[in-house]
Amino acid sequence: MNSQSVADCSNAASEGSVAGHDVLIIGSGAAGLTAALVLAEKCRVLVLAKGALDGGSTNWAQGGIAAVLDEGDTFDDHIRDTMVAGAGLNRRETVEFVVENAPQAIARLEALGVPFNAEAGALHLTREGGHSHRRIVHVDDATGAAVQQALLKAAREHPNVTLLPGRTCIDLITGRHEAARYSGSGRVWGVYALNEASGKVEAHTARATILATGGAGRVYRFSTAPSGATGDGIAMAWRAGARVSNMEMMQFHPTCLYNLDVKNFLITEAVRGEGGRLINPRTGKRFMAFYDAERMELAPRDVVARAIDAEIKRFGLDYVHLDISHMPADFVRGHFPNIHDKLIGLGIDMTTDPIPVVPAQHYTCGGVLIDLDGRTDLPGLYAAGECTESGLHGANRLASNSLLECFVFGDAAARDILRRWDSFDAPPPVQAWDESRVTDSDEEVVIKQNWTEIRRFMWNYVGIVRTDKRLERAAHRIALLTEEVNDYYGHFRVTTDLIELRNLLQSADLIVRSARARHESRGLHYTLDYPQTDAEARDTVLVP
């Protein structure tokens, strides 16, 4: 770190302003804010957020954070559980790195004031599907909201962190955007972002950039992800020249509330971990014994999601039941107060009634390829969290490893930037955004129509169970829509909806390309044309 940069830290601006900064972070969830707080000890950091600062997936996370803290648990057990869930596609060095850094991550969160549940003087640990031990640290059934609140509070109070909400990022700034010359370099200098209030496009530059933009869940019709999960970081990195990996591994959460008015309310894994049973509403009987007799409701998510999907299709059901009403009412209310209150408002008392549930897209296990320091292929560009493929999740994410990945890799990326600081040049002047040849759109309905079409055919053709024919149909639709969207993008001023549509379509294309390249069934990728699992696990790596 050079002394000039450290000295400039005291001049950092308050939330909402655009002053000079050393590092740019795109995303204000667990990964982005973790990185920001580490970097802020020596650098001036700018954090951009699409919409509200707490609008990302972190705030929605119900379950908790996996860490080896129980006396009978071991790192080896957590590593093994993660590898088993990931169907062998995980990179072991990544799994070891994350698991071994988990207790330290929990300690940092405690120091920030996250009020984890405690019992008899120790952290209360719950158990979720795929885990061989109780190792889930949690704040009731709303862990993500508590974490988001603590991280935001710390970031707001730090003089070297500038938080800038209401910025929809369009494309990364690279060497080809330099004002003085066209270098053609893949070096990343920042991002072009739409100011959602003014409608103007701003160029934000920095010595280093971290993508922490979350996943691409909204490419599907049914998803537990927030509305902003449109694959922005993945699409931007791909267009800039970074490789992506394992995009076919889209996780479907087994138990999303079935309600025609509330379309994305998640019923946490912990309900099954604490005794919840899956029941066929027509037969009144548990059905997991037909699909995984040993683990039953505690099988990994891909197994449970496929089981529910099969049961729904076999019996022509709209949903199945998740029933924990056999447990004491005080126990249920005490462990799941937020879910209980939400359901009461919808006329369901989970202490006496079963909960209607269906699978829904829940997590993007693939993404921008990174190493253990969070580095991508592009100089100056780092990434952390759900937008990445770090090697942790493999073919299926183990429950409550997602927030953990955010903390570990947010920290790792920040520390690598600090170690390498002297090698980062100051950003050059870059070209301003050119709007001279575009007009305001008078056909916004085109965006809505295409968005709806993407989400529908992705759900029908690239969902829980796939075939070559379905993937071919999806690829054909993507090709037609890409031509239409590119033409629209070239003629009209950008809006958040248009930017998201462009990124959704790019993400869908990457998912379908990856799915067509994998001629086996492994983890979350299940295809009727290739039901076998190959002896050797191979990543699906796409190169721009």
Side-chain angles (χ1 to χ4, degrees):
M1 174 69 64
N2 62 61
S3 58
Q4 179 64 38
S5 178
V6 175
D8 286 344
C9 285
S10 60
N11 297 323
S14 62
E15 181 178 330
S17 67
V18 188
H21 41 268
D22 301 312
V23 180
L24 171 66
I25 298 175
I26 306 172
S28 57
L33 293 180
T34 296
L37 291 172
V38 174
L39 286 162
E41 297 308 311
K42 295 184 177 179
C43 300
R44 296 166 301 168
V45 183
L46 175 65
V47 179
L48 301 181
K50 181 168 65 174
L53 291 168
D54 61 356
S57 295
T58 296
N59 203 43
W60 290 42
Q62 292 178 349
I65 307 159
V68 174
L69 298 169
D70 191 37
E71 186 176 339
D73 200 1
T74 67
F75 286 154
D76 285 342
D77 288 339
H78 191 177
I79 290 166
R80 182 182 62 252
D81 291 345
T82 301
M83 298 286 289
V84 168
L89 197 63
N90 329 64
R91 288 193 283 283
R92 187 176 180 90
E93 64 173 354
T94 304
V95 178
E96 292 175 351
F97 173 67
V98 174
V99 167
E100 290 169 6
N101 279 282
Q104 182 181 353
I106 298 298
R108 288 199 301 268
L109 292 170
E110 285 188 287
L112 286 175
V114 177
F116 292 118
N117 288 39
E119 189 173 79
L123 291 175
H124 179 267
L125 305 175
T126 190
R127 183 180 174 188
E128 295 182 345
H131 289 274
S132 58
H133 294 271
R134 286 182 171 269
R135 62 168 71 102
I136 314 304
V137 181
H138 63 105
V139 182
D140 294 329
D141 54 353
T143 307
V147 167
Q148 180 78 53
Q149 183 178 355
L151 289 171
L152 268 178
K153 181 176 184 293
R156 284 187 170 111
E157 292 174 352
H158 204 296
N160 290 339
V161 177
T162 300
L163 299 170
L164 206 56
R167 270 31 180 209
T168 301
C169 293
I170 306 168
D171 269 316
L172 294 172
I173 297 171
T174 64
R176 69 189 182 92
H177 300 109
E178 294 175 16
R181 61 191 177 92
Y182 181 97
S183 73
S185 163
R187 173 65 161 92
V188 172
W189 295 113
V191 73
Y192 290 110
L194 174 69
N195 182 321
E196 296 163 14
S198 69
K200 300 298 182 182
V201 175
E202 304 163 347
H204 297 277
T205 58
R207 293 172 182 245
T209 300
I210 301 176
L211 287 175
T213 52
R218 282 294 168 164
V219 78
Y220 285 96
R221 183 183 178 193
F222 299 109
S223 174
T224 64
S227 60
T230 50
D232 301 337
I234 298 169
M236 288 192 298
W238 171 261
R239 288 194 293 265
R243 291 175 297 165
V244 301
S245 177
N246 295 345
M247 284 296 290
E248 73 274 30
M249 299 304 176
M250 298 295 287
Q251 185 179 74
F252 291 80
H253 196 286
T255 53
C256 181
L257 175 68
Y258 178 82
N259 184 288
L260 297 180
D261 297 319
V262 183
K263 298 183 185 301
N264 56 2
F265 185 68
L266 172 68
I267 308 299
T268 176
E269 195 96 6
V271 172
R272 298 200 317 279
E274 295 295 343
R277 300 168 180 171
L278 288 167
I279 308 290
N280 183 313
R282 183 168 298 172
T283 66
K285 297 179 180 179
R286 296 172 75 178
F287 57 81
M288 278 306 300
F290 294 105
Y291 303 96
D292 195 316
E294 181 180 350
R295 294 176 292 187
M296 297 288 285
E297 283 85 3
L298 291 178
R301 287 176 175 172
D302 61 322
V303 176
V304 179
R306 280 200 300 273
I308 295 174
D309 183 66
E311 202 76 1
I312 287 173
K313 289 175 178 173
R314 180 184 172 199
F315 287 89
L317 307 171
D318 290 323
Y319 54 82
V320 299
H321 279 150
L322 176 60
D323 191 3
I324 196 172
S325 63
H326 56 281
M327 300 296 286
D330 288 345
F331 174 90
V332 174
R333 284 191 292 264
H335 278 70
F336 309 108
N338 293 286
I339 295 175
H340 175 267
D341 291 348
K342 177 74 171 182
L343 293 177
I344 285 290
L346 297 171
I348 302 169
D349 185 348
M350 65 187 292
T351 67
T352 58
D353 305 321
I355 307 166
V357 295
V358 291
Q361 189 284 337
H362 184 57
Y363 195 82
T364 307
C365 288
V368 183
L369 199 57
I370 61 169
D371 64 13
L372 291 184
D373 292 316
R375 283 181 286 169
T376 72
D377 296 329
L378 305 179
L381 181 66
Y382 291 73
E386 193 178 354
C387 66
T388 71
E389 198 279 287
S390 67
L392 174 62
H393 306 305
N396 184 21
R397 176 178 70 90
L398 183 64
S400 291
N401 271 355
S402 52
L403 283 176
L404 174 61
E405 181 185 34
C406 292
F407 304 131
V408 172
F409 276 97
D411 179 79
R415 295 189 186 284
D416 191 71
I417 289 170
L418 294 177
R419 281 194 301 270
R420 299 169 179 269
W421 186 254
D422 289 339
S423 69
F424 289 112
D425 294 330
V430 300
Q431 300 167 17
W433 186 259
D434 183 8
E435 289 189 337
S436 61
R437 290 169 292 177
V438 296
T439 61
D440 291 325
S441 171
D442 58 358
E443 295 182 315
E444 291 289 330
V445 68
V446 174
I447 296 176
K448 183 176 181 181
Q449 168 63 30
N450 288 348
W451 181 302
T452 301
E453 185 173 351
I454 292 167
R455 298 179 69 195
R456 188 177 295 276
F457 74 65
M458 286 297 290
W459 182 260
N460 291 333
Y461 297 155
V462 200
I464 296 173
V465 178
R466 301 161 180 174
T467 67
D468 282 352
K469 192 67 177 175
R470 293 174 192 170
L471 294 175
E472 182 183 341
R473 287 180 179 133
H476 178 66
R477 293 303 310 142
I478 288 169
L480 293 175
L481 285 172
T482 297
E483 184 176 347
E484 185 173 315
V485 170
N486 285 345
D487 179 70
Y488 191 99
Y489 180 79
H491 285 86
F492 299 111
R493 287 190 176 89
V494 293
T495 63
T496 294
D497 287 345
L498 176 56
I499 295 164
E500 289 185 331
L501 174 64
R502 182 176 178 236
N503 291 334
L504 271 177
L505 187 57
Q506 182 64 77
S507 299
D509 178 52
L510 295 172
I511 294 166
V512 172
R513 284 199 215 185
S514 298
R516 297 182 82 183
R518 186 173 292 280
H519 293 169
E520 63 162 347
S521 290
R522 183 183 296 274
L524 299 165
H525 177 72
Y526 185 79
T527 168
L528 297 177
D529 291 304
Y530 306 99
Q532 83 290 343
T533 300
D534 292 346
E536 181 180 352
R538 299 181 183 87
D539 290 322
T540 304
V541 179
L542 301 181
V543 181

